[in-house]
Amino acid sequence: MEEIAPGIRHWKAIHPHLGIEVSAYWLPELRLLLDPIAVPDEVEGVEHVVLSCRHHVRDCLEAAERFGATVRAPRTGMHDYPEDTPIKPYDFEEPLLDGELTPYEVGGLSPDETALHIPSANALSIADGAIRYGDDLDFVPDQYMDDPEEDKADIRRGFGDLAGRLDFDVLLLAHGEPIASGGREALRRFSSR
């Protein structure tokens, strides 16, 4: 685990179904885990677990039990969970954590593709719309899209809108390396390609 920006700790673990490294984040001051997987022993004091899309359940239920935390996921993806799920829904543009985090709809891949804006950490966390396993942001492989060209256009539009209206510098990705500085500009470039 490393602190990639003030108040943001990042780690990676192999996703059991994908067989690749995915990223997760701990924001200790906010008592928040984002898309947790294989939560390190040093993590403590968590009250909130927030998922950026319904597919990022990963180890959230174990983390919730370990810390006595509440898990939240986009309402638009709740249909994927059993009726008795302990996961609670959130709505787009509904401030969470006393206004410390606001989820925004991205569009594209799925109805629950979400970006989580965290102003106090100067960060935006994104679900699956962009990945970074090299130097630059890229799309997920076409095989994960229903209509690759339409989905890519929707993702570009959604990220372009968010990069234009939200203030952030750090870009947290669920898949691949985060961008510790210059994330807003990187998302703008990605949106216009």
Side-chain angles (χ1 to χ4, degrees), residues 12-97:
K12 298 177 281 194
I14 299 293
H15 193 290
H17 303 299
L18 301 175
I20 59 171
E21 281 189 332
V22 296
S23 290
Y25 304 90
W26 175 36
L27 286 77
E29 291 174 17
L30 298 181
R31 307 177 81 70
L32 169 65
L33 284 176
L34 296 175
D35 295 330
I37 186 168
V39 179
D41 290 340
E42 66 200 80
V43 173
E44 61 186 15
V46 173
E47 293 179 3
H48 314 279
V49 178
V50 178
L51 308 183
S52 58
C53 77
R54 70 184 185 274
H55 299 299
H56 291 179
V57 172
R58 300 174 175 182
D59 293 327
C60 78
L61 297 177
E62 292 87 344
E65 185 174 323
R66 173 177 157 190
F67 299 111
T70 301
V71 180
R72 305 286 302 268
R75 183 178 305 280
T76 51
M78 293 298 291
H79 62 275
D80 240 18
Y81 303 142
E83 275 189 37
D84 62 347
T85 184
I87 300 171
K88 306 291 183 212
Y90 63 72
D91 293 308
F92 296 129
E93 303 196 33
E94 168 198 353
L96 305 174
L97 285 68

Side-chain angles (χ1 to χ4, degrees), residues 34 50-52 90 101-104 114-118 123-126:
L34 296 175
V50 178
L51 308 183
S52 58
Y90 63 72
L101 180 151
T102 304
Y104 290 91
T114 306
L116 304 166
H117 188 223
I118 313 161
L124 186 74
S125 177
I126 60 175

Side-chain angles (χ1 to χ4, degrees), residues 3-9 26-29 120-123 170 180:
E3 187 169 36
I4 59 161
I8 304 173
R9 298 187 185 168
W26 175 36
L27 286 77
E29 291 174 17
S120 65
N122 200 18
V170 183

